[in-house]
Amino acid sequence: MSDTPFGFGLPPEEPEDGDEGKKKDQQSGGGQGPANPFGFGGLPGAGGFGGPGGPGADNPFAAMFGSLNPNDLGAAFQQLGQMLSYEGGPVNWDMAKQIARQTVAQGTADGTKDASVGPAERTAVQEAVRLADLWLDDATSLPSGAGSAVAWSRAEWVEATLPAWKELVDPVAERVGTAMGDVLPEEMQAMAGPLIGMMRSMGGAMFGTQIGQAVGVLAGEVIGSTDIGLPLGPAGKAALLPVNVEAFGKDLGVPKDEVRLYLALREAAHQRLFAHVPWLRSHLFGAVDGYARGIKVDTAKLEDVVGQFDPQNPEQLQDALQQGMFQPEDTPEQKAALARLETALALVEGWVDAVVHAAAKPRLSSADALRETLRRRRASGGPAEQTFATLIGLELRPRRLRDASRLWASLTDARGVDGRDGLWAHPDMLPTASDLDDPDGFVHREQLDFSELDKMLGEAADKPDLKKKDEDKGDDTE
């Protein structure tokens, strides 16, 4: 059985031994969750839900029902009823939230448990973000984008980011749900209505279980609301997770206050970018949606599943979802959507890296060490990177991040802070993937392009006056 989410194949750059290594870790008891954060395995470390190799290791139903002891039997059947009666969109988000909260409650592999954030921690985060914003004023022309600073527990992160995950995942899941209803001949669809409805309900539960597990695992890893380069939290809220910030800085030998401040700089820089570049969020999410529209379904395999579907054996639908039924199309449009998203994310992360380094370097002795630690964290592909990579087949390679950061630094030297940040005015002004290979060439060429643009704008501004003069002459002639 494949470990890939929704039955998708792995992205081309996926390390060959990546999943094998994760499987070995899981088998040895060292893993935090399933081999893939979007897999259907049991909830990480769950006693009543079954861990790896236990009753929840094969499907979400066993994960939900656990060992079916008498005390849990009523709740188990209640969950089954909710699953079969679900009539919402392509993902059962109520189930996703429930699974995510249960996953968070189990704690992480290192034994760290979630905890409510106390007043002292909230104050520390607010002060760190406030100071970070002051430092960033010297490093970027974009004003503060954080209307407030919040300290979240892992459970609060789950609640706050689910709306963004819904926007990201629904387009992919919609393709699958539509395919389930389209594989039957039209004349049979009316007769098979109840069966199709049941399959869609089960599909929504399957996706809900996958997403819930993924978000729950991510909550144990992420530091703020923008770790993967996307604004997952509410607009204008700079957020840090104190328990994860402490875990991040545990073995670095850097004072806790400096770690918190450096991470606050990154969060605050992301907030500035997304608050004052209004097209950026829709550009990124639109690229995800464009990629999702290119997902195709192996209709022959799906027809076999529909023809043999047994309502008393819903696990077979899960098996089908994991056996390579859904694959991204290898089309120019699909490749373009993925390239557009990869490049945009690299530019976002590169800009944040360059701006934060400029703000922190003169003030924090640990700036270089923290910068390199975060780069290595991205390169090693923690849960945040792996989840996003497996969700849409995207891997933000560290080479692109470093190239993007170097390009933004070169632009700062050549054009100043205002000239660099002015490129965010329109997506067509940003560097392309090929420009990341030659940052110096882009800087030089862009200077020429701006002069040409000024000339074109000047000519366009003169044309209405010329046209008006011609019209006036025509009026005089009459």
Side-chain angles (χ1 to χ4, degrees):
M1 181 183 299
S2 169
D3 290 320
T4 52
F6 311 152
F8 293 159
L10 290 172
E13 293 82 12
E14 188 76 4
E16 293 181 359
D17 61 345
D19 283 344
E20 290 300 322
K22 285 178 249 177
K23 289 176 185 174
K24 291 176 184 176
D25 186 47
Q26 181 182 0
Q27 291 167 357
S28 64
Q32 163 176 314
N36 184 308
F38 274 91
F40 284 121
L43 298 178
F49 287 80
D58 295 326
N59 62 75
F61 305 97
M64 254 183 290
F65 301 154
S67 57
L68 286 179
N69 65 64
N71 294 330
D72 295 334
L73 190 59
F77 278 111
Q78 182 180 8
Q79 283 186 307
L80 179 60
Q82 292 173 350
M83 181 191 303
L84 294 176
S85 62
Y86 175 71
E87 296 180 351
V91 178
N92 188 330
W93 287 102
D94 291 337
M95 179 171 290
K97 182 167 74 171
Q98 180 181 359
I99 296 292
R101 293 293 297 263
Q102 291 167 341
T103 303
V104 164
Q106 308 310 313
T108 53
D110 61 2
T112 304
K113 297 286 187 178
D114 193 22
S116 299
V117 180
E121 289 175 316
R122 295 188 188 279
T123 299
V125 168
Q126 290 169 354
E127 291 179 350
V129 172
R130 188 180 302 114
L131 181 56
D133 257 337
L134 288 175
W135 289 6
L136 287 171
D137 285 339
D138 296 331
T140 173
S141 62
L142 299 180
S144 174
S148 61
V150 294
W152 285 338
S153 66
R154 292 167 178 169
E156 288 173 325
W157 182 89
V158 168
E159 296 280 352
T161 61
L162 274 178
W165 287 113
K166 185 176 188 297
E167 190 173 348
L168 284 167
V169 175
D170 271 351
V172 180
E174 184 66 41
R175 292 281 298 172
V176 177
T178 300
M180 286 181 177
D182 291 344
V183 295
L184 290 178
E186 186 174 349
E187 61 273 10
M188 293 181 60
Q189 289 187 17
M191 299 172 59
L195 175 62
I196 294 175
M198 181 178 293
M199 287 185 64
R200 285 180 172 167
S201 295
M202 299 304 298
M206 298 298 180
F207 283 114
T209 302
Q210 286 183 311
I211 301 305
Q213 280 188 282
V215 172
V217 171
L218 277 171
E221 170 75 9
V222 294
I223 295 167
S225 69
T226 55
D227 284 41
I228 60 176
L230 289 172
L232 296 178
K237 280 191 177 182
L240 292 179
L241 282 69
V243 64
N244 292 353
V245 170
E246 184 171 356
F248 172 81
K250 185 177 180 181
D251 299 319
L252 296 181
V254 177
K256 183 177 178 180
D257 289 346
E258 288 194 20
V259 173
R260 185 193 301 114
L261 181 53
Y262 191 86
L263 297 175
L265 279 166
R266 290 184 53 82
E267 179 73 9
H270 277 102
Q271 293 295 334
R272 288 184 181 226
L273 193 59
F274 285 110
H276 299 291
V277 183
W279 55 265
L280 184 56
R281 186 185 190 279
S282 60
H283 179 75
L284 291 169
F285 280 67
V288 175
D289 182 69
Y291 187 78
R293 284 197 299 269
I295 299 298
K296 66 179 180 179
V297 179
D298 186 338
T299 53
K301 187 178 293 186
L302 186 56
E303 285 172 0
D304 291 340
V305 174
V306 173
Q308 302 172 18
F309 180 68
D310 180 3
Q312 296 182 356
N313 184 25
E315 295 94 325
Q316 69 178 205
L317 183 58
Q318 167 206 321
D319 293 341
L321 287 172
Q322 289 189 303
Q323 290 174 353
M325 182 180 299
F326 310 106
Q327 297 289 341
E329 284 187 314
D330 187 19
T331 63
E333 294 79 12
Q334 186 77 339
K335 291 178 180 178
L338 187 57
R340 185 168 67 251
L341 183 57
E342 284 181 329
T343 301
L345 284 175
L347 291 173
V348 168
E349 289 298 282
W351 183 88
V352 168
D353 181 76
V355 167
V356 168
H357 185 68
K361 177 69 173 175
R363 301 176 174 95
L364 290 179
S365 60
S366 57
D368 287 333
L370 289 169
R371 183 191 203 188
E372 190 59 30
T373 298
L374 283 163
R375 283 181 167 185
R376 289 179 180 177
R377 186 173 185 254
R378 174 60 60 87
S380 63
E385 306 307 322
Q386 294 167 9
T387 298
F388 196 54
T390 52
L391 173 61
I392 61 169
L394 168 70
E395 182 178 331
L396 183 59
R397 293 171 292 179
R399 181 178 68 84
R400 297 286 82 184
L401 169 59
R402 291 177 185 269
D403 288 345
S405 180
R406 187 161 66 93
L407 184 146
W408 289 119
S410 297
L411 281 168
T412 307
D413 294 338
R415 303 183 60 81
V417 169
D418 291 342
R420 177 200 65 197
D421 294 346
L423 291 177
W424 290 105
H426 192 277
D428 290 344
M429 297 171 66
L430 289 177
T432 64
S434 61
D435 293 325
L436 294 180
D437 296 323
D438 182 20
D440 294 333
F442 173 81
V443 172
H444 179 69
R445 186 175 66 254
E446 195 63 24
Q447 288 177 328
L448 295 178
D449 287 346
F450 273 115
S451 63
E452 289 297 319
L453 180 61
D454 290 339
K455 181 180 177 182
M456 292 172 60
L457 291 175
E459 292 175 351
D462 291 339
K463 286 181 179 179
D465 294 334
L466 293 175
K467 183 178 180 181
K468 186 176 185 303
K469 289 179 181 179
D470 290 341
E471 291 175 349
D472 292 342
K473 289 180 180 178
D475 293 338
D476 293 341
T477 301
E478 291 176 0

